[in-house]
Amino acid sequence: MHEEKEQKIGKKRKTYKSFRETLKVCKDAVDSRWNKLQRNKDLLKPQLTWQFNSHLGKKGISGNIKVSYEDKTLSIEVKMPQDATNSAVRDTRGLSGGERSFSTLCFALALHNMTEAPIRAMDEFDVFMDAVSRKISLDTLVDFALEQGSQWMFITPHDISMVKSHEKIKKQQMAAPRS
């Protein structure tokens, strides 16, 4: 009986040792990722703002993105060119629907610049935009998609005839739904 218990204890110790080794590998992987995050987070914040401003600039707008890892917040400030007070809109609810849609699109593209994905989709990104903003947005999206070389799907209820032609662009427009 003593020998039987010794064997059981031996098996439990081997299992325990195996679990501890696996746990150590997982802990080392988490520590490595944490260290990379700490190293990269200060480099990624200005890159995100720069990309955001680059896209906003196509419409003459400027902005800033503030990321606080400590508070776990992200805030977007947008400065409209027609604003004579030189004050930035700190709450995107202060923007018109089209301005908000365009700013959100620019933020999404800034994030897309920093990540890799073979297929991406944008759904109804231009719903609240006027015709000029829609054209600028579509041109921005198509140029971005062509530069990135990834596949994109743009889903919109609006006319897409204004999307420029290119050998890599395939447009599909569904028939309007019946009333």
Side-chain angles (χ1 to χ4, degrees):
M1 187 168 139
H2 178 71
E3 222 173 88
E4 196 177 293
K5 295 292 180 186
E6 286 284 330
Q7 284 180 347
K8 250 186 177 178
I9 290 170
K11 284 182 184 177
K12 295 286 182 189
R13 283 187 177 151
K14 283 182 184 176
T15 303
Y16 175 77
K17 184 179 177 186
S18 173
F19 284 144
R20 293 300 296 173
E21 289 170 358
T22 304
L23 181 64
K24 184 182 178 340
V25 168
C26 291
K27 185 183 179 324
D28 290 346
V30 167
D31 289 346
S32 172
R33 288 181 181 186
W34 179 255
N35 291 336
K36 285 179 186 175
L37 171 68
Q38 297 305 313
R39 237 184 3 253
N40 291 333
K41 72 179 184 183
D42 292 330
L43 300 172
L44 295 177
K45 281 194 263 186
Q47 182 182 354
L48 183 63
T49 295
W50 182 80
Q51 292 290 342
F52 180 61
N53 264 313
S54 171
H55 295 297
L56 283 176
K58 294 177 181 169
K59 200 172 170 191
I61 305 171
S62 62
N64 188 27
I65 296 177
K66 294 184 179 176
V67 180
S68 171
Y69 290 97
E70 296 78 29
D71 299 334
K72 298 180 182 174
T73 58
L74 181 139
S75 59
I76 296 175
E77 294 179 0
V78 177
K79 169 93 176 66
M80 302 307 292
Q82 71 271 16
D83 188 1
T85 64
N86 285 334
S87 63
V89 176
R90 297 196 192 294
D91 187 352
T92 55
R93 290 177 289 196
L95 299 171
S96 72
E99 292 167 343
R100 190 176 326 132
S101 293
F102 186 74
S103 298
T104 303
L105 173 72
C106 292
F107 175 66
L109 288 177
L111 289 175
H112 283 298
N113 264 349
M114 300 172 72
T115 59
E116 292 182 22
I119 299 173
R120 299 171 193 247
M122 297 288 282
D123 181 22
E124 296 190 10
F125 57 90
D126 59 348
V127 171
F128 299 106
M129 292 183 188
D130 59 21
V132 174
S133 295
R134 187 174 299 112
K135 172 76 172 126
I136 292 169
S137 296
L138 280 169
D139 288 346
T140 300
L141 280 167
V142 169
D143 290 344
F144 183 83
L146 290 171
E147 286 172 16
Q148 295 292 314
S150 56
Q151 293 181 29
W152 281 73
M153 291 182 287
F154 305 131
I155 302 166
T156 178
H158 298 289
D159 180 34
I160 59 168
S161 62
M162 67 184 91
V163 173
K164 64 183 172 187
S165 297
H166 189 277
E167 63 186 23
K168 293 184 177 182
I169 296 174
K170 180 179 177 184
K171 299 182 219 177
Q172 283 189 318
Q173 189 160 348
M174 298 177 68
R178 293 184 182 172
S179 315

